[in-house]
Amino acid sequence: MATKSIPLTEDLHAYLVAHGSPPDQIMRELIEETRAALPDDARMQVAPEQAAFLTFLTRLLGARRAVEVGTFTGLSSLAIARGLVDGGRLTCFDISEEYTGIARRYWTRAGVDDQIDLRIGPAGETLRELPYEREIDFAFIDADKTGYPIYWSELVPRMRPGGVIAVDNVLRGGRVIAPGNADDRAIAAFNDEVLADVRVDAVMLPIADGLTLARVH
């Protein structure tokens, strides 16, 4: 029995990935290309087990309408799109044509490109283009950390009752308990904001760099 999450060694992490719907060939090639083409930025890609979890969670919710803020090279969006019900749609928000150019190629290879609407521009502005209706089943936030409160404020009122928002990097490598740089401080403040938000029930999970799941009332 364990009273807290156990630390993951490299070998244990590999075992975990291998025993939880490991990445298929398309996902493996996307991961490898991202690491090779963007070695300084590849850390922005979600972990393989996190991608599997996003597909699982999207399917569990029976999500038809999903939103992603921060797409990068497309691993998380590919995972979410694969979990949508037939006819489901994912709207992605990002600022980079370069990064999302890679994403588009892999969406096409995976056969989910017709399910994804990519919008390029500052998400704090482009999110406001979404209908102001409670119709979103699932949302994933994984973009610039100082922007999290803005994205949260735009998404929560648009989530259906029982809809779920997943927020990445909420542990900042453990630095949230003693935040040093601006991003660390922004996430620490954001975590407190979520905790105090009476519109949601939230749980923070030690998946990858920390993942908050918030169920909207």
Side-chain angles (χ1 to χ4, degrees):
M1 297 292 290
T3 58
K4 64 179 182 179
S5 300
I6 63 172
L8 293 179
T9 63
E10 289 293 329
D11 288 342
L12 189 56
H13 177 259
Y15 181 89
L16 179 150
V17 172
H19 287 78
S21 299
D24 66 3
Q25 182 65 27
I26 292 175
M27 283 191 163
R28 287 197 300 271
E29 290 182 15
L30 173 53
I31 292 168
E32 291 166 3
E33 178 173 342
T34 300
R35 290 174 178 171
L38 303 165
D40 295 332
D41 298 316
R43 67 187 184 282
M44 295 193 293
Q45 191 171 63
V46 298
E49 69 272 22
Q50 195 170 7
F53 181 74
L54 289 172
T55 301
F56 182 90
L57 181 59
T58 306
R59 285 178 178 156
L60 189 66
L61 290 168
R64 178 173 299 276
R65 181 80 174 85
V67 169
E68 176 183 73
V69 184
T71 296
F72 190 44
T73 58
L75 182 58
S76 55
S77 51
L78 174 55
I80 294 167
R82 283 177 162 175
L84 296 173
V85 300
D86 290 344
R89 298 286 298 174
L90 168 63
T91 304
C92 294
F93 296 87
D94 204 281
I95 60 172
S96 173
E97 292 279 8
E98 176 190 3
Y99 294 158
T100 57
I102 297 174
R104 287 181 188 273
R105 286 195 282 107
Y106 283 89
W107 295 340
T108 299
R109 286 186 57 190
V112 299
D113 52 311
D114 60 343
Q115 298 174 256
I116 301 175
D117 174 22
L118 175 62
R119 303 188 186 185
I120 300 294
E125 300 172 11
T126 51
L127 275 169
R128 298 188 182 103
E129 299 172 1
L130 293 174
Y132 205 82
E133 300 173 1
R134 300 193 67 180
E135 63 178 17
I136 301 172
D137 301 301
F138 178 67
F140 181 51
I141 300 175
D142 184 19
D144 60 296
K145 309 314 166 191
T146 55
Y148 276 23
I150 299 171
Y151 311 144
W152 179 264
S153 68
E154 293 295 334
L155 286 169
V156 171
R158 292 176 166 87
M159 304 297 298
R160 69 161 169 85
V164 171
I165 302 176
V167 187
D168 200 16
N169 303 120
V170 293
L171 293 180
R172 296 292 297 168
R175 297 187 300 277
V176 286
I177 59 175
N181 62 33
D183 283 351
D184 296 344
R185 293 192 296 272
I187 290 298
F190 172 76
N191 290 341
D192 290 341
E193 178 182 339
V194 172
L195 182 64
D197 196 328
V198 298
R199 299 171 296 175
V200 305
D201 299 316
V203 60
M204 187 179 291
L205 303 175
I207 297 174
D209 193 28
L211 186 72
T212 287
L213 299 181
R215 180 181 180 273
V216 181
H217 300 161

PDB file of all heavy atoms in Angstrom, residues 163-188:
ATOM      1  N   GLY A 163     -19.090  19.188 -17.848  1.00  0.00           N
ATOM      2  CA  GLY A 163     -17.927  19.225 -18.719  1.00  0.00           C
ATOM      3  C   GLY A 163     -16.647  19.340 -17.912  1.00  0.00           C
ATOM      4  O   GLY A 163     -16.651  19.777 -16.755  1.00  0.00           O
ATOM      5  N   VAL A 164     -15.532  18.956 -18.523  1.00  0.00           N
ATOM      6  CA  VAL A 164     -14.249  18.886 -17.807  1.00  0.00           C
ATOM      7  C   VAL A 164     -13.192  19.724 -18.512  1.00  0.00           C
ATOM      8  O   VAL A 164     -13.060  19.661 -19.743  1.00  0.00           O
ATOM      9  CB  VAL A 164     -13.764  17.421 -17.694  1.00  0.00           C
ATOM     10  CG1 VAL A 164     -12.337  17.356 -17.146  1.00  0.00           C
ATOM     11  CG2 VAL A 164     -14.707  16.622 -16.800  1.00  0.00           C
ATOM     12  N   ILE A 165     -12.454  20.494 -17.721  1.00  0.00           N
ATOM     13  CA  ILE A 165     -11.288  21.220 -18.205  1.00  0.00           C
ATOM     14  C   ILE A 165     -10.047  20.550 -17.618  1.00  0.00           C
ATOM     15  O   ILE A 165      -9.960  20.335 -16.402  1.00  0.00           O
ATOM     16  CB  ILE A 165     -11.303  22.693 -17.781  1.00  0.00           C
ATOM     17  CG1 ILE A 165     -12.569  23.392 -18.293  1.00  0.00           C
ATOM     18  CG2 ILE A 165     -10.064  23.424 -18.304  1.00  0.00           C
ATOM     19  CD1 ILE A 165     -12.693  24.830 -17.831  1.00  0.00           C
ATOM     20  N   ALA A 166      -9.098  20.197 -18.480  1.00  0.00           N
ATOM     21  CA  ALA A 166      -7.815  19.652 -18.044  1.00  0.00           C
ATOM     22  C   ALA A 166      -6.753  20.723 -18.247  1.00  0.00           C
ATOM     23  O   ALA A 166      -6.692  21.353 -19.305  1.00  0.00           O
ATOM     24  CB  ALA A 166      -7.460  18.399 -18.843  1.00  0.00           C
ATOM     25  N   VAL A 167      -5.926  20.942 -17.234  1.00  0.00           N
ATOM     26  CA  VAL A 167      -4.912  21.996 -17.279  1.00  0.00           C
ATOM     27  C   VAL A 167      -3.549  21.378 -17.004  1.00  0.00           C
ATOM     28  O   VAL A 167      -3.338  20.735 -15.971  1.00  0.00           O
ATOM     29  CB  VAL A 167      -5.201  23.101 -16.244  1.00  0.00           C
ATOM     30  CG1 VAL A 167      -4.229  24.264 -16.432  1.00  0.00           C
ATOM     31  CG2 VAL A 167      -6.644  23.583 -16.336  1.00  0.00           C
ATOM     32  N   ASP A 168      -2.614  21.594 -17.929  1.00  0.00           N
ATOM     33  CA  ASP A 168      -1.297  20.955 -17.847  1.00  0.00           C
ATOM     34  C   ASP A 168      -0.281  21.819 -17.110  1.00  0.00           C
ATOM     35  O   ASP A 168      -0.458  23.034 -16.959  1.00  0.00           O
ATOM     36  CB  ASP A 168      -0.794  20.662 -19.266  1.00  0.00           C
ATOM     37  CG  ASP A 168       0.296  19.600 -19.289  1.00  0.00           C
ATOM     38  OD1 ASP A 168       0.459  18.885 -18.275  1.00  0.00           O
ATOM     39  OD2 ASP A 168       0.984  19.481 -20.311  1.00  0.00           O
ATOM     40  N   ASN A 169       0.795  21.168 -16.664  1.00  0.00           N
ATOM     41  CA  ASN A 169       1.959  21.832 -16.050  1.00  0.00           C
ATOM     42  C   ASN A 169       1.645  22.559 -14.747  1.00  0.00           C
ATOM     43  O   ASN A 169       2.256  23.579 -14.424  1.00  0.00           O
ATOM     44  CB  ASN A 169       2.597  22.832 -17.029  1.00  0.00           C
ATOM     45  CG  ASN A 169       3.023  22.187 -18.326  1.00  0.00           C
ATOM     46  OD1 ASN A 169       2.553  22.566 -19.393  1.00  0.00           O
ATOM     47  ND2 ASN A 169       3.897  21.202 -18.258  1.00  0.00           N
ATOM     48  N   VAL A 170       0.726  22.000 -13.966  1.00  0.00           N
ATOM     49  CA  VAL A 170       0.320  22.694 -12.743  1.00  0.00           C
ATOM     50  C   VAL A 170       1.286  22.456 -11.580  1.00  0.00           C
ATOM     51  O   VAL A 170       1.145  23.078 -10.528  1.00  0.00           O
ATOM     52  CB  VAL A 170      -1.112  22.304 -12.330  1.00  0.00           C
ATOM     53  CG1 VAL A 170      -2.108  22.817 -13.362  1.00  0.00           C
ATOM     54  CG2 VAL A 170      -1.256  20.796 -12.148  1.00  0.00           C
ATOM     55  N   LEU A 171       2.282  21.600 -11.768  1.00  0.00           N
ATOM     56  CA  LEU A 171       3.284  21.392 -10.720  1.00  0.00           C
ATOM     57  C   LEU A 171       4.625  22.048 -11.041  1.00  0.00           C
ATOM     58  O   LEU A 171       5.447  22.228 -10.143  1.00  0.00           O
ATOM     59  CB  LEU A 171       3.496  19.892 -10.477  1.00  0.00           C
ATOM     60  CG  LEU A 171       2.298  19.150  -9.866  1.00  0.00           C
ATOM     61  CD1 LEU A 171       2.627  17.673  -9.684  1.00  0.00           C
ATOM     62  CD2 LEU A 171       1.888  19.772  -8.537  1.00  0.00           C
ATOM     63  N   ARG A 172       4.830  22.384 -12.331  1.00  0.00           N
ATOM     64  CA  ARG A 172       6.048  23.108 -12.736  1.00  0.00           C
ATOM     65  C   ARG A 172       7.312  22.435 -12.210  1.00  0.00           C
ATOM     66  O   ARG A 172       8.207  23.076 -11.660  1.00  0.00           O
ATOM     67  CB  ARG A 172       5.989  24.567 -12.251  1.00  0.00           C
ATOM     68  CG  ARG A 172       4.880  25.396 -12.869  1.00  0.00           C
ATOM     69  CD  ARG A 172       5.112  25.634 -14.331  1.00  0.00           C
ATOM     70  NE  ARG A 172       6.323  26.405 -14.567  1.00  0.00           N
ATOM     71  CZ  ARG A 172       6.877  26.563 -15.754  1.00  0.00           C
ATOM     72  NH1 ARG A 172       6.363  25.958 -16.807  1.00  0.00           N
ATOM     73  NH2 ARG A 172       7.970  27.297 -15.905  1.00  0.00           N
ATOM     74  N   GLY A 173       7.378  21.122 -12.380  1.00  0.00           N
ATOM     75  CA  GLY A 173       8.566  20.402 -11.938  1.00  0.00           C
ATOM     76  C   GLY A 173       8.772  20.450 -10.441  1.00  0.00           C
ATOM     77  O   GLY A 173       9.894  20.243  -9.960  1.00  0.00           O
ATOM     78  N   GLY A 174       7.714  20.720  -9.699  1.00  0.00           N
ATOM     79  CA  GLY A 174       7.785  20.818  -8.243  1.00  0.00           C
ATOM     80  C   GLY A 174       8.019  22.224  -7.729  1.00  0.00           C
ATOM     81  O   GLY A 174       8.000  22.468  -6.509  1.00  0.00           O
ATOM     82  N   ARG A 175       8.197  23.179  -8.628  1.00  0.00           N
ATOM     83  CA  ARG A 175       8.555  24.526  -8.212  1.00  0.00           C
ATOM     84  C   ARG A 175       7.375  25.360  -7.727  1.00  0.00           C
ATOM     85  O   ARG A 175       7.580  26.469  -7.226  1.00  0.00           O
ATOM     86  CB  ARG A 175       9.264  25.259  -9.361  1.00  0.00           C
ATOM     87  CG  ARG A 175      10.584  24.614  -9.775  1.00  0.00           C
ATOM     88  CD  ARG A 175      11.332  25.452 -10.800  1.00  0.00           C
ATOM     89  NE  ARG A 175      10.564  25.644 -12.018  1.00  0.00           N
ATOM     90  CZ  ARG A 175      10.508  24.768 -13.026  1.00  0.00           C
ATOM     91  NH1 ARG A 175      11.152  23.620 -12.950  1.00  0.00           N
ATOM     92  NH2 ARG A 175       9.799  25.028 -14.117  1.00  0.00           N
ATOM     93  N   VAL A 176       6.155  24.844  -7.839  1.00  0.00           N
ATOM     94  CA  VAL A 176       5.006  25.634  -7.377  1.00  0.00           C
ATOM     95  C   VAL A 176       5.029  25.866  -5.874  1.00  0.00           C
ATOM     96  O   VAL A 176       4.429  26.825  -5.387  1.00  0.00           O
ATOM     97  CB  VAL A 176       3.663  24.973  -7.763  1.00  0.00           C
ATOM     98  CG1 VAL A 176       3.379  25.140  -9.233  1.00  0.00           C
ATOM     99  CG2 VAL A 176       3.636  23.501  -7.365  1.00  0.00           C
ATOM    100  N   ILE A 177       5.725  25.004  -5.143  1.00  0.00           N
ATOM    101  CA  ILE A 177       5.768  25.211  -3.687  1.00  0.00           C
ATOM    102  C   ILE A 177       6.805  26.263  -3.296  1.00  0.00           C
ATOM    103  O   ILE A 177       6.784  26.761  -2.164  1.00  0.00           O
ATOM    104  CB  ILE A 177       6.051  23.887  -2.944  1.00  0.00           C
ATOM    105  CG1 ILE A 177       7.373  23.262  -3.386  1.00  0.00           C
ATOM    106  CG2 ILE A 177       4.897  22.915  -3.146  1.00  0.00           C
ATOM    107  CD1 ILE A 177       7.749  22.017  -2.607  1.00  0.00           C
ATOM    108  N   ALA A 178       7.695  26.614  -4.204  1.00  0.00           N
ATOM    109  CA  ALA A 178       8.664  27.695  -3.988  1.00  0.00           C
ATOM    110  C   ALA A 178       8.943  28.335  -5.337  1.00  0.00           C
ATOM    111  O   ALA A 178      10.044  28.210  -5.885  1.00  0.00           O
ATOM    112  CB  ALA A 178       9.944  27.168  -3.355  1.00  0.00           C
ATOM    113  N   PRO A 179       7.935  29.012  -5.910  1.00  0.00           N
ATOM    114  CA  PRO A 179       8.062  29.521  -7.286  1.00  0.00           C
ATOM    115  C   PRO A 179       9.180  30.534  -7.433  1.00  0.00           C
ATOM    116  O   PRO A 179       9.329  31.437  -6.618  1.00  0.00           O
ATOM    117  CB  PRO A 179       6.689  30.150  -7.554  1.00  0.00           C
ATOM    118  CG  PRO A 179       6.091  30.391  -6.216  1.00  0.00           C
ATOM    119  CD  PRO A 179       6.635  29.345  -5.309  1.00  0.00           C
ATOM    120  N   GLY A 180       9.960  30.347  -8.523  1.00  0.00           N
ATOM    121  CA  GLY A 180      11.086  31.244  -8.762  1.00  0.00           C
ATOM    122  C   GLY A 180      10.829  32.219  -9.882  1.00  0.00           C
ATOM    123  O   GLY A 180      10.819  33.431  -9.672  1.00  0.00           O
ATOM    124  N   ASN A 181      10.584  31.720 -11.096  1.00  0.00           N
ATOM    125  CA  ASN A 181      10.416  32.630 -12.226  1.00  0.00           C
ATOM    126  C   ASN A 181       8.951  33.030 -12.409  1.00  0.00           C
ATOM    127  O   ASN A 181       8.060  32.579 -11.683  1.00  0.00           O
ATOM    128  CB  ASN A 181      10.985  32.008 -13.505  1.00  0.00           C
ATOM    129  CG  ASN A 181      10.282  30.718 -13.906  1.00  0.00           C
ATOM    130  OD1 ASN A 181       9.084  30.546 -13.695  1.00  0.00           O
ATOM    131  ND2 ASN A 181      11.032  29.799 -14.496  1.00  0.00           N
ATOM    132  N   ALA A 182       8.700  33.843 -13.422  1.00  0.00           N
ATOM    133  CA  ALA A 182       7.358  34.392 -13.636  1.00  0.00           C
ATOM    134  C   ALA A 182       6.340  33.300 -13.947  1.00  0.00           C
ATOM    135  O   ALA A 182       5.197  33.355 -13.465  1.00  0.00           O
ATOM    136  CB  ALA A 182       7.394  35.425 -14.757  1.00  0.00           C
ATOM    137  N   ASP A 183       6.738  32.300 -14.751  1.00  0.00           N
ATOM    138  CA  ASP A 183       5.807  31.226 -15.080  1.00  0.00           C
ATOM    139  C   ASP A 183       5.442  30.406 -13.849  1.00  0.00           C
ATOM    140  O   ASP A 183       4.281  30.026 -13.664  1.00  0.00           O
ATOM    141  CB  ASP A 183       6.415  30.310 -16.146  1.00  0.00           C
ATOM    142  CG  ASP A 183       6.345  30.916 -17.537  1.00  0.00           C
ATOM    143  OD1 ASP A 183       5.678  31.964 -17.704  1.00  0.00           O
ATOM    144  OD2 ASP A 183       6.962  30.353 -18.466  1.00  0.00           O
ATOM    145  N   ASP A 184       6.436  30.128 -12.999  1.00  0.00           N
ATOM    146  CA  ASP A 184       6.162  29.384 -11.768  1.00  0.00           C
ATOM    147  C   ASP A 184       5.183  30.148 -10.886  1.00  0.00           C
ATOM    148  O   ASP A 184       4.235  29.578 -10.335  1.00  0.00           O
ATOM    149  CB  ASP A 184       7.455  29.142 -10.987  1.00  0.00           C
ATOM    150  CG  ASP A 184       8.449  28.261 -11.733  1.00  0.00           C
ATOM    151  OD1 ASP A 184       8.045  27.591 -12.702  1.00  0.00           O
ATOM    152  OD2 ASP A 184       9.632  28.272 -11.339  1.00  0.00           O
ATOM    153  N   ARG A 185       5.419  31.443 -10.731  1.00  0.00           N
ATOM    154  CA  ARG A 185       4.539  32.254  -9.891  1.00  0.00           C
ATOM    155  C   ARG A 185       3.139  32.331 -10.489  1.00  0.00           C
ATOM    156  O   ARG A 185       2.139  32.303  -9.760  1.00  0.00           O
ATOM    157  CB  ARG A 185       5.123  33.656  -9.715  1.00  0.00           C
ATOM    158  CG  ARG A 185       6.420  33.695  -8.906  1.00  0.00           C
ATOM    159  CD  ARG A 185       6.809  35.110  -8.519  1.00  0.00           C
ATOM    160  NE  ARG A 185       7.112  35.941  -9.681  1.00  0.00           N
ATOM    161  CZ  ARG A 185       8.314  36.026 -10.246  1.00  0.00           C
ATOM    162  NH1 ARG A 185       9.324  35.308  -9.766  1.00  0.00           N
ATOM    163  NH2 ARG A 185       8.516  36.809 -11.284  1.00  0.00           N
ATOM    164  N   ALA A 186       3.064  32.416 -11.814  1.00  0.00           N
ATOM    165  CA  ALA A 186       1.762  32.489 -12.473  1.00  0.00           C
ATOM    166  C   ALA A 186       0.968  31.209 -12.237  1.00  0.00           C
ATOM    167  O   ALA A 186      -0.243  31.267 -11.958  1.00  0.00           O
ATOM    168  CB  ALA A 186       1.945  32.733 -13.966  1.00  0.00           C
ATOM    169  N   ILE A 187       1.622  30.065 -12.330  1.00  0.00           N
ATOM    170  CA  ILE A 187       0.925  28.797 -12.119  1.00  0.00           C
ATOM    171  C   ILE A 187       0.526  28.632 -10.660  1.00  0.00           C
ATOM    172  O   ILE A 187      -0.577  28.152 -10.353  1.00  0.00           O
ATOM    173  CB  ILE A 187       1.785  27.612 -12.590  1.00  0.00           C
ATOM    174  CG1 ILE A 187       1.892  27.627 -14.111  1.00  0.00           C
ATOM    175  CG2 ILE A 187       1.197  26.285 -12.110  1.00  0.00           C
ATOM    176  CD1 ILE A 187       0.569  27.471 -14.837  1.00  0.00           C
ATOM    177  N   ALA A 188       1.382  29.011  -9.742  1.00  0.00           N
ATOM    178  CA  ALA A 188       1.040  28.922  -8.320  1.00  0.00           C
ATOM    179  C   ALA A 188      -0.205  29.755  -8.018  1.00  0.00           C
ATOM    180  O   ALA A 188      -1.109  29.312  -7.298  1.00  0.00           O
ATOM    181  CB  ALA A 188       2.219  29.375  -7.461  1.00  0.00           C
TER     182      ALA A 188
END
